[in-house]
Amino acid sequence: MSLLNVDNITVRYGRLTALRNFSLSMEQGETLFVTGPNGAGKSTLLKAIAGVVAPAEGRIGFQGQKVDGNPPENIARLGLSMVPEGRHVFGALSIEENLILGAGMRKNPAQAKKTLAEVYEMFPVLAERKDSHAGVLSGGQQQMLVIGRALMTEPQLVAIDEPSLGLAPKIIDQVYETLTRLRDERGLSLLIVEQSTTRAVMAGGRMVMLRSGEKVLEGDARELSKGDALNAAYFGFEEH
């Protein structure tokens, strides 16, 4: 049984169709990149999976349960944690308070405390500044914080929207090194939205490309990069 199944979903905002007859599946421990130009429907896909928007048609299943139409908190309890675009830290709260918010639905305080210690071990800079306001962190440190906050929920799948946005290349490398380590050490599944295909090719894994709300390409990211298929699909022109 797949961890995540998205079957022929269509998402509309009024008269605008943002996603049309889209399907994908993910296995436990898999990394899947969703790429494509601006307005392709990438963020809408994550929002539909996380329960932020409801599909007009189709079905979404997670951990063997139908989740489309469920509120985000119910889906999160099943083990899906979303890191939205733009990071969205609570700047007036301390770093530790931001992290503890991620454990709000955990029933075992002792286990949540253990996870907090693991997050601090993973991101030492957060431990060093745990009592500082989150708003004073750099962009890269804020990205670490929101990933750590997602981990506090003990997820099976982390869906991340544009983790590279606004970050320097060296910091992006650090973020991805952390994500791949989490995947390899914990069997964590990663669903990552990136506008650029370059990061997907560098990191490896499966890639799905969207354009104008429809899937136009799918396959192993590194294999797809060997020909002209990526550019053709991204820009919408025919291969010759």
Side-chain angles (χ1 to χ4, degrees):
M1 181 183 68
S2 297
L3 177 69
L4 173 69
N5 285 290
V6 178
D7 297 320
N8 292 312
I9 66 166
T10 294
V11 180
R12 300 187 180 97
Y13 299 114
R15 295 182 179 180
L16 173 67
T17 299
L19 205 59
R20 184 181 293 105
N21 297 326
F22 181 86
S23 297
L24 66 76
S25 65
M26 282 188 70
E27 304 298 326
Q28 186 71 48
E30 186 178 10
T31 300
L32 176 61
F33 284 88
V34 179
T35 67
N38 279 335
K42 305 183 299 295
S43 295
T44 294
L45 173 63
L46 290 199
K47 290 175 182 177
I49 291 170
V52 178
V53 298
E57 301 169 11
R59 181 185 186 278
I60 301 173
F62 181 67
Q63 299 271 45
Q65 298 188 42
K66 180 181 179 294
V67 296
D68 51 280
N70 285 2
E73 58 271 22
N74 289 357
I75 299 173
R77 288 189 181 96
L78 293 175
L80 189 151
S81 188
M82 182 173 170
V83 178
E85 179 184 345
R87 295 181 272 279
H88 298 290
V89 303
F90 296 96
L93 299 181
S94 72
I95 289 168
E96 184 153 306
E97 287 169 335
N98 269 268
L99 290 170
I100 289 172
L101 283 174
M105 59 184 67
R106 297 276 293 274
K107 296 179 180 179
N108 187 331
Q111 189 62 34
K113 188 175 181 180
K114 179 175 179 291
T115 305
L116 180 62
E118 292 172 349
V119 170
Y120 281 148
E121 184 178 356
M122 197 174 305
F123 302 114
V125 67
L126 300 184
E128 293 165 8
R129 306 182 66 181
K130 65 180 182 179
D131 296 320
S132 301
H133 286 171
V136 304
L137 295 176
S138 68
Q141 291 166 345
Q142 287 188 12
Q143 191 64 274
M144 295 174 189
L145 176 57
V146 292
I147 292 171
R149 191 171 65 199
L151 295 175
M152 289 297 295
T153 69
E154 282 290 292
Q156 296 296 310
L157 170 63
V158 176
I160 311 174
D161 197 355
E162 298 281 7
S164 303
L165 192 67
L167 301 182
K170 183 178 179 180
I171 302 301
I172 296 170
D173 289 342
Q174 292 175 2
V175 168
Y176 270 95
E177 284 170 9
T178 300
L179 291 173
T180 53
R181 188 169 76 246
L182 287 167
R183 178 198 62 198
D184 296 342
E185 293 178 357
R186 299 188 178 195
L188 190 67
S189 303
L190 301 172
L191 177 58
I192 304 173
V193 160
E194 283 281 11
Q195 182 175 342
S196 170
T197 61
T198 303
R199 182 54 60 175
V201 172
M202 290 174 63
R206 188 156 57 97
M207 182 173 65
V208 170
M209 184 177 291
L210 284 167
R211 187 165 49 82
S212 301
E214 297 182 329
K215 184 193 298 184
V216 292
L217 195 67
E218 182 174 7
D220 179 89
R222 289 172 179 163
E223 289 299 316
L224 291 173
S225 70
K226 294 177 181 179
D228 296 325
L230 282 182
N231 283 338
Y234 194 97
F235 294 107
F237 54 76
E238 297 289 334
E239 287 187 86
H240 297 288

